[in-house]
Amino acid sequence: MAWDRALVDVVGLALIAFIVWFFWLVKTKGTRAAATSGGYQEQMVLVKGGYTPDVIVVEAGKPVRLNFVRQESASCSEMVLLPAFNKSARLPEGQTVPIEFLPKERGEFEFSCQMGMFRGKLIVE
Ligand SMILES: [Cu+2]
């Protein structure tokens, strides 16, 4: 019968979808910024159709340096804003633009383009 083979296929596909979703979800917990010799927690952020990584984990009380690298010409991403830290910067295409700040409080803080279409999150622990 064709229908029972179809059922097996559907169950198989559902299982694959679940596995993909599960591992993808685990991965979105965030990227931990690396500690550098200068005492900074540093993370490179690729700006291309969004922010990669878009969830960055840092520790409170230590200075952070996010190095934004914009690799697209779409005007949407030409500014990045971190309202919680009173920071913003223009991102010329192809240049590395560092943004430095000191996260004092724990919490989750958004960063985004000026229209809020691209979004990322900084998790301060
Ligand atoms: Cu935008």
Side-chain angles (χ1 to χ4, degrees):
M1 296 285 274
W3 66 268
D4 54 12
R5 287 200 45 193
L7 187 68
V8 170
D9 289 348
V10 166
V11 170
L13 282 175
L15 198 64
I16 289 165
F18 174 76
I19 290 166
V20 167
W21 169 78
F22 181 78
F23 282 98
W24 180 78
L25 196 80
V26 167
K27 265 173 81 180
T28 57
K29 268 184 175 173
T31 302
R32 185 168 288 274
T36 59
S37 54
Y40 278 86
Q41 309 176 76
E42 208 157 343
Q43 178 63 47
M44 183 87 92
V45 183
L46 174 67
V47 182
K48 192 178 183 184
Y51 300 114
T52 309
D54 62 350
V55 180
I56 299 163
V57 183
V58 297
E59 275 179 58
K62 290 181 184 172
V64 172
R65 181 183 295 137
L66 301 179
N67 295 308
F68 286 88
V69 185
R70 177 162 162 254
Q71 292 188 347
E72 65 176 8
S73 53
S75 63
C76 181
S77 58
E78 69 191 1
M79 291 279 292
V80 64
L81 312 177
L82 288 91
F85 303 100
N86 246 327
K87 295 279 179 183
S88 68
R90 290 193 68 82
L91 304 176
E93 195 181 347
Q95 284 181 33
T96 301
V97 179
I99 296 184
E100 297 174 4
F101 53 91
L102 180 67
K104 290 176 186 153
E105 293 169 29
R106 289 158 197 240
E108 299 193 355
F109 307 97
E110 279 215 332
F111 56 93
S112 67
C113 70
Q114 72 270 37
M115 307 95 125
M117 292 160 76
F118 291 178
R119 287 168 186 278
K121 192 166 62 175
L122 191 83
I123 299 175
V124 181
E125 295 184 337

